Amino acid sequence: MHSLFIFRIEQIIIIPNMKRIVIFILLILLVSSHLEAQKPNQLNSGEIYHAIEKLNFLGTALYLAAHPDDENTRMISYLSNEVKANTAYLSLTRGDGGQNLIGLEIQELLGVLRTQELLEARKIDGGKQFFTRANDFGYSKHPDETLRIWNKEEVLKDVVWIIRNFKPDVVINRFDHRRAGRTHGHHTSSALLSIEAFDLTNDSTVYPEQLKHTEPWQVNKLYYNTSWWRYGSREKFAEVDKSKMARVDIGVYYPVLGKSNSEIASEARSMHKCQGMGNTGSRGSSTEFLEIVKGVAPVDNENIFDGINTTWTRVQGGKAIQMKMDALIADYDYLAPQKSVKQLVEIRSLIRGIDNDYWKNIKLSEVDRIIESCLGLYAEVYADAQTLTPTDVTDLTIECTNRSNVPVTIRSIRIPTAQMEKTVNESLEDNAQMKWFETMTVPNLRTSEPYWINDKAEFGMYNVDDPLKIGMAETPRELKAEFELDIYGETVVLQKDIIHKYTDRVAGEVIEPVEIVNPVSVRIENGSYFFSTNDKQVVKAYVKAGKENVTGTVRLQTMGTGWQISPASHNFNIAQKGDEASFEFTVVPPQAQSIAEIAVSADIAGNPSIHTESIVIDYDHITKQTVNVPAKSKIVKIELETAAENIGYIDGAGDKVAESLRLVGYNVTNLPIETLNAEALKGYDAIMIGIRALNTKKELKFKMKELLKYVENGGNLVIQYNTTRGLNIDEFAPYPLKLSRDRVSDENAEVRILAPEHQVLHYPNKISSKDFDGWIQERGLYFPNEWDSKYTAILSMNDVNEDPKDGSLLIAPHGSGYFVYTGISWFRELPAGVPGAFRLLSNILALKQNKA
């Protein structure tokens, strides 16, 4: 995918009209696929032929929904691989408000992880990826709420902007615009915004400021990707009038690729690993239905692009290209793809002359990638370090190998941002490796990080300082090398991200992106500090060197009233890059209950004050990410009593509950599931099971008898929420209870006490309505909605215009102990330092002590 960015740069130079240049820069930002450091992705001969067929199709489709994992990868793959359309998925959000099954990233960091998972999915199914500035703030029960929190006008503006630039002939909504209040508010909102945008994108009076950089565009057809699940059953769907529906067989098989469309789609779907979306490929015919919502209805119901010219004759000068394309396809030799290079170069020359900047640049990207693959061309630049700071001096290795007998001359190698150029003028002989070694001084570039979290976000919306970046999946990397080649007299400029690579004894060759980082990174040891008395605490701050021999001053400060911090600062001098030094500060709390923040910063001569922590998100299935976040922690003076002391914690899908309990003084032991038995559990005052453990830990079902025996013998077992789908065990409670999808998504919803005399509200902390103030994102989720009379429902709550939900906290005595099931979102509230959440959970953990 590297070359997709490249050739558009070359074309900017030759377009004379200034407005069109700016339009085209936008296309670079929006249309470019995932630009990342990865192992070179050469197409095999079958894939080259597939790409040539795609080069011969001039049509664009945009699939639109609300979140990562909402997209129908079967349809995206079908559009890209069967229809051969220029296809993209527009996810309005980055999935920041969901949960994480593979790690501890939540909120903005989860959004970064899910963005990368979407990009990996698109590399498999062949689509591109766009986003708006909307923030996934959690579950919403109505589009009115969603659009109010998102700032409807701004998100609509983003949708219009992306459509005007991507120019889809066809837009397909994943969700039904007529389902307000009956499904996720984000889902319905995505469809409503798409329908409204359909009538605005071609109106020059709408968002006229956008037209300085782009131009109006009219979508031809707007579909809704419906299915039997929309109607409740296959039988009901069979009775639906489908006369206005297009229908396509998405189960087609691609002999050239050796896979069915459904198999490709399942591989793409399985990239959503942090959401547990692993999928098994299927084979055989399968029909998708598309209901026409706006625009020109298709006459041919099996052709989504019916009535749209998708041949080269669509553009002026395209007839000559069409003739050469027909000959290219007819002449293609699977055993010798290099024989097609001369024809491809001729086609490239003709493409440069067409009077349509949009299709010119898309097709130049495609043809150049095909040429590169036909040549078997390997062209890369490696830096000797994965992280660099401005003014660093780094060694570069440049490699270029032409693995074909096609005559290719390398004219020069340039690194524009570093103002470096090496004149070569040498022939690339068949399969002869060429290497050069250079030294580069790193230019003064912005740090490598996701652009949408550079500025502080508003609730529901990200702030983006550069409007031309809106819609982009990620921040383009600025350290790039350009290889200028001469192929049969045609100048081709390949642009490659500069990368870092090394050899791992197990994984083999590892390729990582080169990141621009600050001279130092700062952090505070814990995300929260809790003070239940007036005693002082020591807070450790850390400074990590991003370069050698860095000297400066580190400070810890707070804006909270009544908090005292000493000393004012420490000096540091760190010799080795990557080393980290720690510094102690003493924090004294105020007398009254208080919530505040502390922030650490470092001052280095000649640099702005650095106040960010550098966090690396590194999983095998995504490109390594570096994210700079404010180096802050919450400090909380809390009126908290604890009676339980030793807590056993069984990990689930990943949360910071155990860590948060340790911060308020509990002795928490993480318990491996295989060690669970009644004897081993005797010493614990309470056992707490992490979120979604019954969904993600299959082996836990074999230990539930031991855990319930622990309860019978006087223990206290607390199970946090699990989803209704994918439970690995039917009987996990001593008495019947049934999970549901009930949730309370308003974090400020009224909480009513159903059992005011129950001990859980009195010992060791007296719980009142004030303890439910200041909660974040939601009250809870997946509450039981049916339970045995032996359970006591403690709390009642509900969102606006809904019936009360009484299953958030259920407690039942069992034997001489207690069993607790709770859907309250402890995994959000505790890391956020919500005092009332700590007080109530402390009482739950102390049920055994109070009974004694």
Side-chain angles (χ1 to χ4, degrees):
M1 288 298 197
H2 290 289
S3 60
L4 292 180
F5 191 81
I6 310 171
F7 314 103
R8 300 171 186 155
I9 295 284
E10 179 190 2
Q11 294 303 309
I12 290 177
I13 299 171
I14 66 174
I15 298 173
N17 182 288
M18 186 61 189
K19 180 181 178 183
R20 289 161 72 185
I21 291 175
V22 179
I23 293 172
F24 189 55
I25 292 172
L26 227 335
L27 288 172
I28 292 172
L29 297 178
L30 292 178
V31 180
S32 295
S33 289
H34 188 24
L35 300 177
E36 62 175 61
Q38 60 174 352
K39 292 186 178 180
N41 184 20
Q42 292 287 356
L43 304 179
N44 62 43
S45 61
E47 291 167 335
I48 290 172
Y49 183 78
H50 191 72
I52 289 173
E53 289 184 311
K54 193 177 184 74
L55 182 65
N56 203 30
F57 187 92
L58 278 69
T60 301
L62 180 68
Y63 202 89
L64 192 151
H67 310 106
D69 90 345
D70 283 345
E71 82 275 28
N72 184 346
T73 54
R74 298 180 302 275
M75 184 58 66
I76 292 174
S77 179
Y78 176 85
L79 289 165
S80 180
N81 295 302
E82 173 66 12
V83 179
K84 307 297 193 300
N86 182 37
T87 306
Y89 173 44
L90 169 54
S91 175
L92 297 191
T93 76
R94 297 176 185 266
D96 328 72
Q99 290 86 50
N100 183 355
L101 294 185
I102 63 173
L104 298 178
E105 294 86 2
I106 60 172
Q107 298 175 324
E108 290 87 353
L109 295 180
L110 179 59
V112 174
L113 172 56
R114 289 191 171 182
T115 294
Q116 291 301 312
E117 290 186 335
L118 272 178
L119 289 169
E120 294 300 322
R122 297 295 79 79
K123 285 193 292 184
I124 293 170
D125 60 33
K128 300 177 176 70
Q129 184 64 52
F130 302 137
F131 296 93
T132 72
R133 289 170 291 162
N135 187 304
D136 178 5
F137 56 85
Y139 193 86
S140 175
K141 296 183 176 180
H142 200 281
D144 289 350
E145 177 197 45
T146 299
L147 295 173
R148 173 178 53 80
I149 293 175
W150 273 354
N151 187 339
K152 175 193 172 184
E153 189 65 21
E154 291 301 308
V155 181
L156 178 61
K157 183 188 295 186
D158 290 358
V159 175
V160 170
W161 167 254
I162 292 164
I163 289 176
R164 281 175 169 174
N165 283 284
F166 189 58
K167 298 182 176 13
D169 301 301
V170 171
V171 173
I172 302 174
N173 290 344
R174 181 54 166 156
F175 298 109
D176 191 347
H177 59 286
R178 298 157 294 199
R179 301 276 289 172
R182 288 179 284 177
T183 185
H184 198 324
H186 296 184
H187 293 171
T188 309
S189 295
S190 70
L192 291 170
L193 290 167
S194 176
I195 287 173
E196 192 167 346
F198 182 93
D199 296 324
L200 301 179
T201 53
N202 202 33
D203 187 341
S204 60
T205 66
V206 175
Y207 311 130
E209 70 278 7
Q210 293 182 357
L211 302 182
K212 297 176 183 177
H213 310 292
T214 187
E215 55 196 6
W217 177 255
Q218 182 58 60
V219 177
N220 186 282
K221 307 177 196 301
L222 175 62
Y223 293 105
Y224 158 50
N225 187 188
T226 189
S227 180
W228 66 264
W229 48 260
R230 159 65 177 80
Y231 295 89
S233 70
R234 297 181 188 275
E235 292 74 22
K236 290 180 181 179
F237 187 54
E239 299 172 0
V240 172
D241 177 13
K242 301 182 181 65
S243 60
K244 292 186 178 181
M245 293 185 188
R247 62 199 72 186
V248 294
D249 181 4
I250 53 84
V252 293
Y253 177 69
Y254 307 123
V256 168
L257 302 180
K259 295 178 182 178
S260 72
N261 187 74
S262 300
E263 288 171 322
I264 292 172
S266 69
E267 289 177 17
R269 186 74 172 170
S270 297
M271 284 298 103
H272 296 300
K273 296 185 186 301
C274 73
Q275 300 177 78
M277 291 292 171
N279 204 273
T280 300
S282 62
R283 286 141 295 278
S285 295
S286 179
T287 303
E288 287 281 346
F289 294 89
L290 302 170
E291 176 187 344
I292 190 74
V293 177
K294 275 183 172 289
V296 182
V299 176
D300 178 0
N301 280 349
E302 294 184 358
N303 180 7
I304 297 172
F305 283 84
D306 181 55
I308 301 169
N309 184 2
T310 58
T311 71
W312 273 103
T313 61
R314 177 175 187 159
V315 298
Q316 186 177 0
K319 186 176 181 180
I321 298 173
Q322 187 68 65
M323 293 175 63
K324 286 190 174 290
M325 284 297 306
D326 293 342
L328 172 68
I329 292 172
D331 296 341
Y332 182 71
D333 185 344
Y334 281 90
L335 297 180
Q338 68 271 17
K339 292 179 181 179
S340 296
V341 172
K342 192 166 188 178
Q343 289 171 290
L344 287 162
V345 167
E346 292 171 356
I347 289 170
R348 185 184 195 278
S349 179
L350 291 174
I351 292 173
R352 285 196 292 108
I354 66 174
D355 188 22
N356 184 307
D357 293 337
Y358 177 76
W359 284 112
K360 176 192 296 184
N361 295 300
I362 288 174
K363 294 305 178 181
L364 281 173
S365 297
E366 292 179 7
V367 73
D368 285 340
R369 187 188 183 204
I370 295 169
I371 291 172
E372 184 180 358
S373 294
C374 286
L375 294 171
L377 190 69
Y378 185 96
E380 297 292 348
V381 177
Y382 320 121
D384 68 348
Q386 195 262 326
T387 59
L388 299 170
T389 65
T391 73
D392 278 352
V393 176
T394 185
D395 292 330
L396 301 177
T397 300
I398 304 169
E399 180 179 346
C400 195
T401 305
N402 171 22
R403 291 173 285 189
S404 76
N405 59 7
V406 175
V408 177
T409 299
I410 180 166
R411 297 297 184 197
S412 66
I413 303 162
R414 300 185 293 268
I415 303 176
T417 52
Q419 298 182 334
M420 289 179 61
E421 181 166 4
K422 179 180 181 64
T423 301
V424 181
N425 288 326
E426 293 187 44
S427 294
L428 294 176
E429 301 300 332
D430 186 1
N431 208 29
Q433 184 187 62
M434 299 188 71
K435 277 191 175 183
W436 300 270
F437 302 95
E438 299 290 337
T439 301
M440 177 184 71
T441 300
V442 179
N444 189 21
L445 302 176
R446 193 168 182 169
T447 55
S448 305
E449 58 188 328
Y451 72 89
W452 63 93
I453 57 177
N454 284 339
D455 296 334
K456 186 176 181 180
E458 300 172 6
F459 182 52
M461 288 290 289
Y462 283 114
N463 287 315
V464 176
D465 58 0
D466 182 357
L468 298 185
K469 289 181 179 176
I470 292 172
M472 294 171 59
E474 59 182 354
T475 309
R477 299 189 183 277
E478 296 182 84
L479 270 183
K480 297 177 180 293
E482 295 177 356
F483 293 79
E484 184 178 319
L485 308 173
D486 184 295
I487 308 171
Y488 289 121
E490 182 83 0
T491 298
V492 176
V493 180
L494 301 182
Q495 190 177 61
K496 304 284 188 174
D497 294 340
I498 295 178
I499 59 176
H500 171 68
K501 75 172 183 176
Y502 63 94
T503 302
D504 181 271
R505 293 183 64 183
V506 175
E509 183 180 70
V510 177
I511 295 180
E512 298 176 332
V514 170
E515 307 277 25
I516 304 299
V517 299
N518 285 317
V520 297
S521 168
V522 293
R523 67 180 179 93
I524 301 173
E525 185 171 35
N526 297 320
S528 300
Y529 291 86
F530 298 92
F531 298 76
S532 56
T533 69
N534 294 326
D535 292 342
K536 63 186 178 182
Q537 288 190 38
V538 172
V539 173
K540 280 189 177 181
Y542 293 82
V543 179
K544 187 174 184 178
K547 60 187 303 180
E548 295 182 350
N549 299 319
V550 61
T551 301
T553 303
V554 60
R555 291 181 171 81
L556 188 68
Q557 298 170 297
T558 182
M559 299 299 292
T561 303
W563 295 87
Q564 300 175 30
I565 298 177
S566 62
S569 65
H570 289 283
N571 295 326
F572 64 83
N573 188 342
I574 307 175
Q576 296 296 320
K577 177 180 178 178
D579 279 355
E580 188 174 54
S582 65
F583 303 91
E584 293 187 350
F585 294 87
T586 300
V587 178
V588 179
Q591 295 291 322
Q593 184 163 295
S594 172
I595 301 177
E597 283 186 333
I598 47 175
V600 62
S601 62
D603 293 304
I604 301 170
N607 289 270
S609 183
I610 297 167
H611 50 80
T612 55
E613 176 183 359
S614 183
I615 295 176
V616 175
I617 302 176
D618 191 8
Y619 293 94
D620 289 342
H621 66 296
I622 65 168
T623 299
K624 189 175 184 179
Q625 299 293 298
T626 300
V627 185
N628 291 319
V629 299
K632 294 181 179 180
S633 293
K634 189 163 285 188
I635 46 176
V636 181
K637 174 64 184 301
I638 180 175
E639 298 175 1
L640 176 68
E641 298 291 338
T642 60
E645 181 178 350
N646 295 314
I647 309 298
Y649 200 87
I650 301 170
D651 291 332
D655 59 64
K656 294 185 178 180
V657 172
E659 176 185 327
S660 299
L661 291 174
R662 290 187 185 99
L663 293 175
V664 293
Y666 285 100
N667 179 22
V668 183
T669 303
N670 289 83
L671 302 175
I673 293 176
E674 61 272 16
T675 66
L676 300 179
N677 58 66
E679 184 66 28
L681 299 176
K682 276 184 179 179
Y684 294 101
D685 300 321
I687 302 296
M688 198 167 187
I689 299 181
I691 64 171
R692 297 180 70 173
L694 302 182
N695 299 118
T696 61
K697 306 294 184 181
K698 293 182 179 180
E699 62 273 27
L700 191 56
K701 68 179 179 179
F702 302 111
K703 296 294 185 178
M704 283 309 302
K705 288 184 179 179
E706 296 292 337
L707 289 165
L708 292 178
K709 187 182 296 183
Y710 158 78
V711 176
E712 289 180 13
N713 293 335
N716 183 14
L717 178 63
V718 182
I719 300 181
Q720 297 180 77
Y721 95 94
N722 293 272
T723 61
T724 54
R725 189 174 69 176
L727 276 175
N728 290 311
I729 181 172
D730 294 324
E731 296 181 6
F732 56 85
Y735 314 111
L737 63 79
K738 181 180 178 181
L739 301 185
S740 76
R741 297 182 64 85
D742 286 353
R743 65 198 301 157
V744 177
S745 58
D746 182 357
E747 66 269 30
N748 297 312
E750 178 190 5
V751 177
R752 299 172 295 277
I753 293 176
L754 297 176
E757 301 304 318
H758 197 284
Q759 65 189 57
V760 78
L761 300 174
H762 297 275
Y763 179 83
N765 301 284
K766 183 77 172 177
I767 302 300
S768 71
S769 60
K770 291 183 179 179
D771 288 299
F772 299 100
D773 294 342
W775 289 48
I776 67 163
Q777 187 162 325
E778 62 197 355
R779 291 293 191 192
L781 62 170
Y782 292 98
F783 299 160
N785 62 354
E786 296 179 17
W787 51 86
D788 190 274
S789 60
K790 294 184 177 66
Y791 294 98
T792 300
I794 306 299
L795 306 172
S796 179
M797 58 189 76
N798 56 271
D799 285 318
V800 176
N801 298 324
E802 288 194 350
D803 295 332
K805 305 292 186 290
D806 298 345
S808 65
L809 178 56
L810 301 177
I811 302 175
H814 179 59
S816 56
Y818 286 95
F819 176 88
V820 181
Y821 191 91
T822 173
I824 292 173
S825 58
W826 309 105
F827 71 103
R828 297 197 192 281
E829 312 311 322
L830 300 191
V834 177
F838 276 99
R839 287 165 50 82
L840 177 57
L841 184 56
S842 178
N843 286 13
I844 293 171
L845 296 175
L847 286 169
K848 175 181 174 180
Q849 280 68 29
N850 194 34
K851 183 175 182 180

